[in-house]
Amino acid sequence: MEYNMNKDQAGIRIDKLKKLINHHRYLYHALDRQEISSEALDSLKKELFDLEQQFPEFISPDSPTQRVEGKPLEKFSKVKHLKPMISLNDAFSREDMEDWAIRISKLLRPEEISKMDFFCEPKLDGLAIELIYRSGILETGSTRGDGLLGEDITQNLKTIEAIPLKLRDLAEVLNDLKKDGLLETAKRFSEEGKIDIAVRGEVIITKSDFEKINSGQERLGLPLYANPRNLAAGSLRQLDPKIAASRHLDSSLYEIVNDVGQKNHQEEHRILHILGFKTNNKYSRFCQNLEEIFAYQNHWQKDRQKIPYEIDGIVARVDNNDLFRKLGVAGKAPRGAIAYKFPLKQATTVVEDIKFQVGRTGAITPVASLRMVNVGGTAVAHATLHNEDEIKRLGLKIGDTVIVGRAGDVIPQVVAVLHDLRNEGARDFIMPKVCPSCGTILVKPEGEVAWRCPNTDCFSRRERYFAYFVSKNAFDIVGLGPKVLEQLLDQGLISDPADLFDLKEGDLVPLERFAERKAGKIVEAIQSKRKVLLPKFIFALGIRNVGEQTSIDLAKIFGNMDNLKKASFNDLQKINDVGPVVAKSIRDFFQNENNLKFLEKLEKSGVKIILPKAERSSQKLAGLAFVFTGEMLSLSRNEAKERVRNEGGEVSEAVSKNTSFVVVGANPGASKMAKAGKLGVKVITEEEFLRMVKN
Ligand code: IVH
């Protein structure tokens, strides 16, 4: 990505980025401490890398892009690596990968480019290690350390069963090498009469063991591990091997350091396997070109839960070792290999402005306008800041660099402000005193965090309510997007949603860009939704604090609108999850004259409330409450909820002691998982869930 900066600005920015990255790298690698997510750190590294590419005059030997991370811990004796143990550059997009291909192609001859292919494998999230075997016996095992000197953690590594203390017998190895056509390597080993080898790979832990260990930490009130790398590091960089032994650590190897006659990377993997190491061969693929690499990366991005270990992307490496060596090293990374990461659920960017949105209930929400950034695979230009207090808590100014995060399909949020990167031009935000839409003076009701526009006729509020009224969980009318609604409101054709049902094709045709067909279609779509299920009708009213599940519960208990209108404060509170606040909102709604008139008007305009089918397919899940977190593979969140309800079960958004099951998909929310752990709520996978709802 190209930045719109002059040289001076770039110099200042690069300087600040370097300092901040170095600080966090030190915390992470030397002290095993983490203050910002590794994703946010990767995002900063990427900005620095891109800026340095744009302004190469600022590349200096002390830049984090040039040096291998980490410092060895004092308490371990040091091991000098045979060759520097370096790292990899990251790519986050096809464009980054194309840039990489161009960079390396410039260094090769045409005939070399034409025979260049790639070996691709998953990038494991673990701790890098080097193992040295002499005469087939494990002699030393070490961490990366500063890349030149590692920490000797042999005793700890010896507790890991996947790491052979002794390689397979020479005769067996020679036999298998020959069978696999690895003749050069067989020849070398047989001439030597023994196997001396230095290999590298990753210490990893399965996702399920990782979760188990974190649940244990939680029970003991100990801090949780942020990721498998941290856990592996925390276990291996301990003087007492008993700790490592208790952790079910695993390993997977991907590199042979010394020359044992291997011609390409693929052969390295095969040799490692024959020697008795665990590798990730079965997940790897040989790719001829970038398109195949994209397909491979895409495949694992979708299917990453099929690998029992956490992976954060793939590694693509020029397969041929002669070419790989020729490409050499730039800074801290070989030119011939790259880590093509999965989209980050967190990324860093700049807040260019703060705007204010008026919600359906009048609540004013500050929204950050962002320099466009890719978060979790989608371009993001806005993030919610929730309310004024939140901005104060974050200490955010306009112009600041922030960490933006998103989990699943929720709205992107500003997670933290990187104050160290603040520019001189940063300015304070000012909460408006009047509604940005209608100019009414804002109020802040006691005990609430949000400023509100009290004007029920406020244009923005009405527009929002219309959008809510036609949304999927309410009347579900398609074709009435914000643009259409705005025009209809502007022209005075509608003032409340009941008016929608009186619209005629002829009303719409004169409007701008309403070609006849579109007008007819919209009217048809509205008319087809005249009949509405009671729970959807209740939801559509937009009663404060009444969401989808509460609407369903109210419909089930009261059976019709008359009963609901008459329900007392106490009646209401008998319902699951309805406390005094929700009960009061409902009472207030039905005591308001305007609302009652609106209900009458809806009835007059032909809206018919129908009841959900009394006989459900079965009531298998009656009495059970489900919470969903993360993305599921085989069905959408809404379909999953529907299934639960069809079987008589309930769905709620938050984990509580009443939750029966938390269903986890890919990338689950940390807080829901932690809460489930704390309350001892059973956590099940998508497959287990599907088995429960299957007939
Ligand atoms: S190849 C010259 N392959 O990711 C470095 N690295 O971010 C060769 N990693 O330093 C590394 N899985 O610790 C390679 N399949 C894989 C990997 C892998 C994880 C680690 C490794 C590397 C770091 C770079």
Side-chain angles (χ1 to χ4, degrees), residues 534-535 538 549-565 567-568 570-578 611-612 616 650:
L534 179 60
I538 297 173
Q549 185 64 44
T550 307
S551 304
I552 292 168
D553 293 342
L554 290 171
K556 210 185 308 178
I557 303 289
F558 294 104
N560 61 45
M561 283 305 291
D562 274 339
N563 289 344
L564 176 58
K565 264 188 246 175
S568 72
N570 283 337
D571 290 341
L572 289 166
Q573 286 192 69
K574 286 180 194 141
I575 293 176
N576 211 357
D577 284 339
V578 174
L611 295 178
R616 302 222 185 225
E650 286 195 24

Side-chain angles (χ1 to χ4, degrees), residues 223-421:
L224 300 189
Y225 293 100
N227 52 42
R229 196 208 83 89
N230 270 27
L231 174 58
S235 314
L236 290 174
R237 299 167 91 203
Q238 302 269 356
L239 288 174
D240 180 2
K242 278 204 210 80
I243 297 173
S246 73
R247 294 263 160 99
H248 286 112
L249 297 173
D250 201 339
S251 90
S252 181
L253 296 223
Y254 44 69
E255 195 184 359
I256 299 177
V257 186
N258 52 326
D259 180 6
V260 296
Q262 71 274 37
K263 287 190 290 297
N264 55 46
H265 198 51
Q266 198 185 40
E267 286 187 1
E268 266 169 44
H269 276 255
R270 277 153 53 201
I271 297 166
L272 284 167
H273 185 67
I274 290 172
L275 291 173
F277 293 104
K278 190 159 171 173
T279 63
N280 53 29
N281 285 359
K282 68 170 177 236
Y283 306 120
S284 305
R285 192 186 298 165
F286 188 70
C287 293
Q288 308 264 13
N289 51 43
L290 280 187
E291 279 310 317
E292 288 182 15
I293 299 179
F294 295 157
Y296 174 79
Q297 196 251 15
N298 208 6
H299 169 75
W300 285 121
Q301 185 177 319
K302 287 217 190 78
D303 266 2
R304 63 205 275 188
Q305 74 295 333
K306 292 201 178 137
I307 297 182
Y309 307 97
E310 195 65 65
I311 62 173
D312 54 0
I314 61 133
V315 176
R317 182 191 187 278
V318 171
D319 191 46
N320 182 298
N321 279 346
D322 291 333
L323 291 189
F324 183 79
R325 261 191 304 274
K326 178 169 176 190
L327 286 167
V329 172
K332 59 144 202 177
R335 290 198 188 85
I338 194 156
Y340 184 10
K341 297 270 195 95
F342 298 140
L344 303 178
K345 281 167 280 151
Q346 287 198 350
T348 55
T349 188
V350 171
V351 172
E352 288 173 339
D353 200 359
I354 295 178
K355 302 223 165 96
F356 300 89
Q357 229 175 45
V358 190
R360 171 172 66 80
T361 60
I364 309 290
T365 307
V367 176
S369 305
L370 305 171
R371 179 163 80 203
M372 188 89 85
V373 62
N374 189 314
V375 188
T378 24
V380 167
H382 302 278
T384 179
L385 291 163
H386 301 289
N387 51 55
E388 187 185 15
D389 291 356
E390 175 68 3
I391 298 179
K392 286 190 186 140
R393 187 188 68 78
L394 289 166
L396 173 70
K397 289 189 181 200
I398 297 165
D400 275 347
T401 303
V402 293
I403 301 175
V404 182
R406 81 187 295 162
D409 38 15
V410 302
I411 315 165
Q413 313 200 20
V414 171
V415 179
V417 175
L418 298 171
H419 292 104
D420 293 341
L421 293 179

Side-chain angles (χ1 to χ4, degrees), residues 77-183:
S77 58
K78 306 289 172 289
V79 183
K80 187 170 177 328
H81 295 304
L82 225 61
K83 278 187 204 154
M85 212 167 155
I86 48 184
S87 186
L88 294 173
N89 285 327
D90 290 337
F92 291 102
S93 61
R94 285 168 175 243
E95 200 191 338
D96 289 344
M97 289 297 285
E98 280 155 9
D99 288 349
W100 172 62
I102 294 169
R103 279 201 302 275
I104 61 178
S105 297
K106 282 185 186 153
L107 300 168
L108 299 175
R109 292 197 307 266
E111 63 274 21
E112 289 171 331
I113 297 173
S114 67
K115 72 171 185 202
M116 179 167 69
D117 27 38
F118 308 91
F119 189 79
C120 295
E121 57 192 296
K123 180 165 172 359
L124 302 160
D125 186 16
L127 185 78
I129 53 159
E130 179 176 85
L131 304 170
I132 295 173
Y133 289 81
R134 276 188 220 286
S135 302
I137 306 288
L138 175 60
E139 197 180 79
T140 26
S142 58
T143 64
R144 180 195 333 255
D146 64 3
L148 301 174
L149 290 181
E151 297 139 333
D152 183 340
I153 53 164
T154 314
Q155 292 315 314
N156 287 336
L157 288 174
K158 280 185 172 172
T159 67
I160 301 176
E161 289 210 11
I163 296 178
L165 300 178
K166 180 176 173 300
L167 301 177
R168 291 175 66 217
D169 282 340
L170 183 58
E172 283 171 18
V173 168
L174 293 178
N175 199 16
D176 284 354
L177 286 171
K178 281 178 203 149
K179 254 200 279 176
D180 202 8
L182 296 158
L183 304 180

